[in-house]
């Protein structure tokens, strides 16, 4: 079933889970390569914030906000859900929403990601003090989810779900960059969780599992 | 070695340590390895004492063990790797006598000198490398066409610029990627990179993305 078009790029932090979800549910979704704040005039008129990802259905339906898109994709494809990705009751549904909102609005936030991610990628010039301060702040915020996943294999219920696909894929932005070997030992439960979900979500289709020994910023 | 008595405190500690960085006994999915160890453990480990073991036990309890994939082995086949392999006698089969034969040394030195003389007489081949260079702009507003002009404006004896393209990096930023051919004896890539980074209005940094001999 051709559902519509996503506007984003393949390795975008909040897009990988949508591409994989579409695949798991046999939904045909096109990806038009788009970058934040670089939308075409037409697209910018529909989505003034110019943030990724955004979706336009084959029927003209316009949707932004990644969690809303996840929900929409799942509702459209749940008859093809062979792996029990969705909730079995309203409690599980609420819990899934809780975990997705938590990682999206409390962990992967501008306050936790800037300015170190720009420096890491080479988009902005490296400065040691702001890099270290912001990276430390990000790692501190990850101590909370590290404890939260200590007593569980999966986030909701006892199988891999939408929540794990979403949560696991959003963690990549930290694990492939500022979480070095020493830091992984300080976050053992979250590391165990990330590695397991990386494999179960089959994310190697989109990017390799990178667990750097040391933090290496883009060379100046 | 593998797992020992999993009903004992020592065994459960071993299991708990093993599962600190793993969700399952083998690989990233439940298998017969988990079924075997689960049966050997028998009852749920104490959460406070063995949190990783307890987390794992709770998860495996949700499966029909008989349906898990893989082939069951003895419980001692699973778990931390044994230290038994390190107990071999150390026999150095390739050690050599320390004795040196001065006559053999003289002959060797003579041959090396002869080889060097022969090699020096040979006309030197021109060695070239094909290099892919990444040039990174400051931000998404850097004029990439002017950056390209600046890059190509560098002329050196032995340097030939080739095809180029923009490669998306993220957040709307592209890096400029260009191929070049250099004669190794004439062009220093370090000097070239320094000169490129001298275009401070456009260039934030450069990287050699790939390099091969022609």
């Amino acid at each position: 079933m051709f559902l519509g078009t996503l506007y984003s790029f393949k390795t975008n932090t909040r897009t990988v889970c949508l591409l994989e979800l579409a695949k798991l549910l046999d939904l045909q979704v096109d990806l038009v390569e788009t970058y934040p704040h670089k939308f075409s005039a037409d697209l910018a008129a529909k989505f003034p914030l110019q943030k990724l990802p955004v979706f336009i259905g084959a029927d003209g339906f316009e949707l932004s906000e990644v969690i809303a898109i996840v929900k929409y994709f799942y509702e459209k494809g749940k008859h093809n859900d062979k792996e029990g990705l969705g909730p079995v009751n309203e409690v599980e549904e609420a819990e899934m929403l809780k975990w997705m909102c938590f990682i999206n609005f409390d962990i992967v936030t501008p306050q936790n990601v800037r300015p170190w991610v720009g420096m890491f990628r080479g988009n902005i010039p490296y400065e040691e003090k702001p890099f270290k301060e912001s990276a430390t702040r990000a790692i501190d915020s990850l101590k909370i989810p590290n404890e939260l996943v200590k007593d569980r294999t999966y986030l909701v219920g006892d199988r891999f779900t939408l929540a794990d696909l979403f949560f696991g894929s959003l963690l990549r932005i930290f694990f492939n960059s500022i979480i070095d070997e020493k830091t992984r030992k300080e976050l053992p439960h979250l590391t165990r969780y990330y590695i397991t979900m990386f494999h179960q979500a089959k994310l190697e289709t989109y990017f390799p599992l990178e667990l750097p020994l040391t933090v290496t910023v883009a060379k100046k | 070695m593998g797992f020992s008595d999993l009903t004992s405190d020592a065994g459960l500690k071993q299991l708990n340590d093993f599962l600190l960085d793993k969700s399952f006994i083998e690989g990233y999915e439940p298998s017969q390895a988990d079924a075997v160890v689960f049966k050997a453990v028998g009852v749920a480990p104490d959460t406070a004492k063995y949190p990783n073991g307890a987390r794992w036990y709770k998860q495996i309890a949700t499966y029909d063990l008989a349906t898990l994939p893989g082939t069951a082995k003895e419980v001692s086949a699973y778990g931390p790797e044994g230290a038994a392999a390190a107990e071999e006698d150390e026999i150095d089969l390739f050690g050599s006598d320390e004795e040196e034969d001065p006559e053999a040394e003289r002959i060797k030195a003579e041959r090396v000198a002869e080889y060097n003389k022969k090699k020096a007489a040979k006309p030197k081949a021109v060695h070239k490398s094909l290099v892919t260079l990444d040039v990174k702009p400051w931000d998404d507003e850097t004029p990439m066409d002017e950056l390209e002009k600046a890059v190509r404006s560098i002329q050196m004896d032995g340097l030939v610029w080739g095809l180029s393209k923009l490669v998306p990096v993220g957040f709307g930023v592209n890096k400029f990627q260009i191929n070049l051919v250099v004669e190794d004896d004439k062009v220093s890539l370090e000097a070239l990179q320094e000169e490129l980074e001298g275009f401070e209005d456009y260039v934030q940094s450069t990287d050699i993305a790939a390099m091969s001999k022609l």
Side-chain angles (χ1 to χ4, degrees):
Chain A
M1 168 196 185
F2 178 65
L3 191 62
T5 305
L6 268 176
Y7 296 83
S8 186
F9 56 96
K10 190 182 172 186
T11 55
N12 172 255
T13 297
R14 290 177 172 81
T15 298
V16 169
C17 57
L18 295 174
L19 298 174
E20 183 62 16
L21 180 59
K23 189 191 296 182
L24 289 167
L25 299 175
D26 288 332
L27 300 170
Q28 193 193 326
V29 172
D30 286 347
L31 177 68
V32 168
E33 194 159 329
T34 308
Y35 291 91
H37 311 293
K38 287 283 187 281
F39 284 22
S40 65
D42 206 36
L43 199 64
K46 295 179 163 70
F47 304 103
L49 289 181
Q50 298 197 47
K51 293 163 85 176
L52 304 177
V54 296
F55 174 78
I56 302 183
D59 58 359
F61 179 53
E62 296 165 12
L63 190 60
S64 63
E65 301 300 325
V66 63
I67 294 172
I69 301 173
V70 166
K71 172 75 164 154
Y72 183 72
F73 278 18
Y74 185 73
E75 289 305 314
K76 281 293 187 179
K78 66 186 177 184
H79 54 282
N80 289 329
D81 180 9
K82 308 172 189 78
E83 301 189 20
L85 294 174
V88 299
N89 55 43
E90 70 277 7
V91 170
E92 281 206 352
E93 183 167 13
E95 286 205 320
M96 287 181 183
L97 193 59
K98 178 192 79 175
W99 286 102
M100 289 193 284
C101 289
F102 172 61
I103 189 79
N104 196 46
F105 299 125
D106 293 315
I107 301 295
V108 186
T109 60
Q111 302 94 297
N112 276 348
V113 165
R114 292 176 192 164
W116 67 261
V117 77
M119 293 175 183
F120 176 79
R121 293 174 175 172
N123 300 352
I124 60 179
Y126 179 79
E127 286 178 75
E128 186 168 354
K129 188 170 184 282
F131 181 90
K132 290 209 167 134
E133 283 177 357
S134 56
T136 299
R137 193 170 58 239
I139 289 164
D140 280 347
S141 78
L142 292 172
K143 288 173 183 172
I144 295 170
N146 179 63
E147 288 306 308
L148 292 175
V149 299
K150 182 178 182 180
D151 69 341
R152 65 193 67 212
T153 304
Y154 302 107
L155 296 179
V156 178
D158 49 30
R159 297 292 181 270
F160 181 84
T161 67
L162 292 177
D164 297 300
L165 172 59
F166 189 86
F167 200 98
S169 64
L170 261 67
L171 287 173
R172 183 225 177 190
I173 192 171
F174 303 109
F175 273 95
N176 79 329
S177 55
I178 56 171
I179 300 183
D180 57 11
E181 189 173 32
K182 174 176 159 287
T183 306
R184 284 195 292 278
K185 291 192 196 322
E186 295 164 13
L187 304 168
H189 312 300
L190 195 64
T191 301
R192 183 257 312 156
Y193 175 82
Y194 175 67
I195 293 171
T196 303
M197 297 315 142
F198 180 93
H199 285 91
Q200 294 212 6
K202 299 178 175 61
L203 298 183
E204 64 269 8
T205 304
Y206 307 94
F207 46 77
L209 177 62
E210 294 162 293
L211 299 169
L213 286 180
T214 60
V215 179
T216 308
V217 302
K219 205 172 79 177
K220 190 139 182 59
Chain B
M1 177 194 281
F3 289 130
S4 54
D5 178 14
L6 288 169
T7 60
S8 68
D9 274 344
L12 287 173
K13 182 183 186 307
Q14 191 184 27
L15 177 72
N16 190 65
D17 291 346
F18 181 77
L19 290 169
L20 174 68
D21 63 348
K22 296 169 194 66
S23 294
F24 301 102
I25 300 294
E26 284 185 344
Y28 305 104
E29 305 271 352
S31 70
Q32 281 301 310
D34 296 280
V36 168
V37 177
F38 181 88
K39 290 168 189 164
V41 173
V43 296
D46 179 64
T47 300
K49 288 181 73 180
Y50 312 110
N52 306 316
R55 175 251 307 152
W56 166 85
Y57 191 92
K58 179 174 67 167
Q59 181 64 33
I60 303 306
T62 67
Y63 299 104
D64 177 356
L65 298 184
T67 64
L68 293 178
T71 305
K73 296 181 247 175
E74 278 296 309
V75 67
S76 60
Y78 303 114
E81 302 304 326
E87 290 168 23
E88 308 285 334
D89 273 352
E90 283 178 28
I91 302 169
D92 186 7
L93 295 175
F94 302 98
S96 65
D97 294 341
E98 289 303 313
E99 235 171 290
E100 280 179 24
D101 185 347
E103 177 60 10
E105 287 298 318
R106 185 190 66 76
I107 292 171
K108 193 195 297 179
E110 196 174 82
R111 286 178 180 159
V112 170
E114 190 176 297
Y115 169 79
N116 284 337
K117 192 193 301 174
K118 202 180 297 181
K119 185 170 152 60
K122 201 185 288 184
K124 194 175 290 185
V126 179
H127 297 285
K128 294 182 181 179
S129 299
L130 172 63
V131 178
T132 302
L133 195 65
D134 284 342
V135 183
K136 301 173 190 180
W138 289 109
D139 54 32
D140 59 348
E141 291 177 350
T142 304
M144 298 304 285
D145 52 347
E146 290 178 36
L147 182 145
E148 177 170 2
K149 278 185 210 152
V151 169
R152 290 182 182 274
S153 73
I154 295 179
Q155 301 293 324
M156 289 178 183
D157 183 18
L159 165 68
V160 178
W161 295 109
L163 291 176
S164 65
K165 63 180 178 179
L166 296 181
V167 179
V169 174
F171 292 123
V173 178
N174 292 300
K175 66 185 176 185
F176 177 74
Q177 193 173 82
I178 185 165
N179 293 327
L180 56 141
V181 175
V182 293
E183 290 184 32
D184 298 344
D185 289 331
K186 294 178 180 174
V187 178
S188 156
L189 287 173
E190 268 110 354
L192 175 61
Q193 284 182 273
E194 276 183 31
E195 201 162 330
L196 285 166
E197 287 170 8
F199 294 118
E200 288 180 357
D201 289 344
Y202 309 122
V203 178
Q204 183 242 77
S205 64
T206 62
D207 275 323
I208 293 172
M211 191 170 175
S212 59
K213 290 295 176 183
L214 282 178

